[in-house]
Structures are given as C-alpha cells and as structure tokens.
Amino acid sequence: MKTKEVIDLYDKYVMPTYKQTPVVLVKGKGIKVWDIEGREYLDFFPGWAVSGLGHCHPRVVNAIKDQCKKMIHIPNNYYNNLQARLAGVISESSFGGKVFFCNSGAEANEAAIKLARIYGQGKRFEIITMEKSFHGRTLATVAATGQDKIKKGFSPLPSGFRHVRFNDFQAVKDAIGPQTVAIMLEPIQGEGGINVASTDYLSKVRKLCDQKDILLIFDEIQTGMGRTGAMFGYQHYGIIPDMMTLAKTLGGGVPIGAMVAARKIADTLKPGSHASTFGGNPLVCSASLAAFKAIEKEGLLDNARNMGKYMFDQLNELKKRHSMIKEVRGMGLMIGVELNREGARVVEKCLKRKLLINCTQGNVLRFMPPITVTKKNIDKAMKILNEVLTIETGG
Ligand SMILES: *Cc1c(COP(=O)(O)O)cnc(C)c1O
C-alpha cells in the first residue's frame, strides 16, 4: 500500500476525529520510525509519550511475546499474578497505595473521580481542577478538563467541577466550599502548554487539603514513568498526593491505565462499585512490568535528567539566536518552547526534515523524546530545529 491509498481508506471508513499528518507509520525502533514508503524519521514526540521508552523496546517486546503464548486475558473475578506483581511495583515505587487497573488515561481519571465521590458520601462531590488542564475525553473527564474547546457541543456535562487558575494558591483556596471533596491537577500541564507547578504552590495546596480533608489527585498520565527525570512528577515536590493516575508510558506502548490511591482511602471503592473488563490483563501487565524493569536496569531516570538538562541548554542556546523563541520551560524530558507566533509551520517544516515534534496551545512546541534518547539524537534534532527557525525568520 501507499500513503494515498491508506488516506483514501480513512476518508471512506474512519471517523474524522483526528487532525492528521499525511504520514503512514509502519515501523519503529527506539527513537526512529519509518513510514510506508520507507522514509526514516526521528521521533521527538512518540505518541504523547506512550512510546516513552522508545518504539518496540526489546524488554517490552519480549515480555509481550512470552506472555501472549501463555494467557492473554484473565477475567478480574479470578486472580492474576502479573496484575498483583505490577500493583506491587507501582505501589513500592510511589507512595505505598493500592492500584486499580483500566485501559487508558481517561478511565484512570474516571476511577479517581468516582473514588472521590464515594469518599464524599453524597455530601461532598465537587472537584476543583485547573484552567488549561487536560484530563481526557469521556464526559466526566471532559467536564474536569479546563479548556472550553474540548467541551464544546457536549453539554450537559456531568456537574460538580470547578476550574481555577493553575499555580495560583489563592484562587484554589477561594474556590473551596462545603461541597469540595477533591482537587485534581497535573504537576506539569502537558496539553496546557508545559506549565510547571511551583513547589511553593503544591506544598500549600497539600497543606490546605490536609486541613480540610480534601483529596489531592495528581494526573500523572503524561508526567509519570520517568518523563520528568523522577519516576513520578510529584517526587520533585516533597509532597505526596492522595491519588495518582497513570497511562501513556505505563505500558511501554500497550494500552493500560492505572489509578493509585493512598492506603488510607484505597478501600473506599468496594466490590461491585467499579470495574473494567480488560483492566490489568496479563498481556499489558507483562509489558508494564518490563517497562519498569527497563527504567530501573537501564538507568533511564538518570538519562531523562541528564539528557533533559542537555536539551534544555541547547534550546536556550537557540533562544539566544532566535528571537521568535519566548521561553523554554519544563522538567526532564518534558519540554515546551513557547514561540511568539503560531508553531504549526515549524512543526510542518521539521516534518519535512524528518523530525517529529508537536505543538500545543497554538504556539508551544512540545518535545517529549523517549527517555532513552542520546546526545547524538538531541544534536540532530537541534540542528534541524535551528535550520527551520532560521528559515522561518527569513534569516
Ligand atoms: C493523555 C492524557 C489523558 C487522557 O488519556 P487517554 O489515554 O487519552 O484517555 C489525561 N490526562 C493527561 C494529563 C494526559 O496527558
């Protein structure tokens, strides 16, 4: 098949819910991907970090290969040793809570929202979330998301959500009422433009939650699994949330989501109160266990930190040279470059030079390379970006 034939099939048979780049990807290895005509690309935005360990990480591939010969699905009314082991690994590498497994980020957030509602016992139900946040595309997570463009046309949405300015402690404090049961936020907003929460802000929010018996929920779907140079984003802040949601890199590429709740609230959801048919099946759990193992055995947290710093420095060098760069921000390998203009053309020109990146909020270039990225990869990407920015400014 050729690119055009695939696009024609999409036009005929696939719902047009995505804005798509006219590239048909068929193969990936590490930071490289190939299209159906055999062209090679450098992937600095592997599926919103789903392939955050690089495409087809050998440990993940082998785990899936082994497991699919044994058992692919175990219904959750039986015990599944891989789910048990994975829950242990997630719990021991975070704050010692218990885990609910599902298949995506939105579902993980739904689970957190449902736990909070049960915790509120019908008296408290309101969840405060942040402007510019992104929590998913199901109705409740759309309601939780603080971006109007994502809600448009879908009302009535589930009620009980309130949005306040991110990184503004007074705003969240003022929004708390007698019905508030939880505050939900991303420690670094991804879709919102790579906005990093300050330590002061999060420690104050944590204290406030403690004082008022409000649950603090961190959506770590994008920031989790080494992205920021720590296993989870909250670990940079010296506080712990009451709940944390994971997906994206969690499965090393396969669809898995998880909601982790602190031990003291983890038994709030009782048998029959929540479920997911596919949730935590042995196939995806084996992949996720391999992902954790890769991070540990290959020193990927150190790599994310070191390469993140290297890339940050390189981008700041570019900032000196190109006035169209307003700011470079982020943490580890979750990096945003704010431009003084729309970024779509830069993304397009990078694509022409076989570099895949993303742009969010119109003018924030987003880089989230696999946490296995090397200096050589970064140098190549920066060379392309420099070239593109030079052309863009007519230099
Ligand atoms: C991607 C993402 C989600 C939604 O995850 P899906 O798997 O697409 O449902 C939620 N929150 C954040 C922060 C995300 O990055």
Side-chain angles (χ1 to χ4, degrees), residues 48-214:
W48 275 257
V50 166
S51 304
L53 305 180
H55 296 272
C56 295
H57 192 290
R59 285 181 199 266
V60 175
V61 170
N62 287 329
I64 294 172
K65 263 194 197 157
D66 288 346
Q67 185 56 39
C68 74
K69 288 181 240 161
K70 293 182 195 148
M71 205 163 189
I72 294 175
H73 183 255
I74 296 171
N76 277 315
N77 57 331
Y78 295 92
Y79 288 100
N80 160 356
N81 69 326
L82 289 151
Q83 188 180 123
R85 277 175 51 206
L86 178 59
V89 169
I90 294 172
S91 177
E92 296 298 324
S93 56
S94 58
F95 45 86
K98 287 189 181 179
V99 187
F100 172 82
F101 289 103
C102 49
N103 315 289
S104 67
E107 283 174 89
N109 286 335
E110 286 272 346
I113 292 165
K114 284 180 80 174
L115 192 154
R117 292 256 174 115
I118 297 276
Y119 185 78
Q121 298 181 317
K123 296 183 206 77
R124 294 191 296 152
F125 51 82
E126 193 173 74
I127 299 177
I128 299 173
T129 67
M130 303 301 142
E131 288 168 11
K132 290 195 178 172
S133 61
F134 180 79
H135 298 297
R137 299 286 194 161
T138 60
L139 286 174
T141 57
V142 162
T145 291
Q147 301 189 56
D148 288 340
K149 63 171 192 225
I150 280 162
K151 301 178 198 281
K152 214 175 140 206
F154 295 115
S155 50
L157 291 171
S159 55
F161 295 93
R162 207 165 159 178
H163 309 299
V164 299
R165 249 171 61 123
F166 184 60
N167 246 340
D168 180 342
F169 176 67
Q170 196 60 42
V172 70
K173 194 174 172 206
D174 290 345
I176 286 173
Q179 293 171 330
T180 307
V181 72
I183 296 171
M184 175 151 130
L185 58 85
E186 303 151 84
I188 303 175
Q189 291 188 328
E191 306 310 303
I194 312 292
N195 307 313
V196 183
S198 78
T199 303
D200 180 58
Y201 171 66
L202 288 187
S203 57
K204 281 181 176 156
V205 170
R206 175 69 271 179
K207 260 191 215 125
L208 187 68
C209 286
D210 289 338
Q211 282 161 9
K212 302 201 176 264
D213 186 29
I214 288 169

Side-chain angles (χ1 to χ4, degrees), residues 1-58:
M1 277 178 111
K2 291 255 191 286
T3 299
K4 186 170 178 311
E5 294 170 71
V6 176
I7 292 175
D8 287 346
L9 283 176
Y10 262 74
D11 288 344
K12 237 170 145 173
Y13 300 115
V14 183
M15 285 191 201
T17 58
Y18 303 99
K19 228 187 266 160
Q20 286 171 308
T21 305
V23 173
V24 181
L25 296 176
V26 292
K27 198 174 97 176
K29 188 167 190 284
I31 198 166
K32 290 179 181 165
V33 291
W34 287 266
D35 70 18
I36 200 162
E37 273 90 20
R39 287 176 290 248
E40 182 184 307
Y41 302 78
L42 195 59
D43 194 356
F44 267 62
F45 196 72
W48 275 257
V50 166
S51 304
L53 305 180
H55 296 272
C56 295
H57 192 290

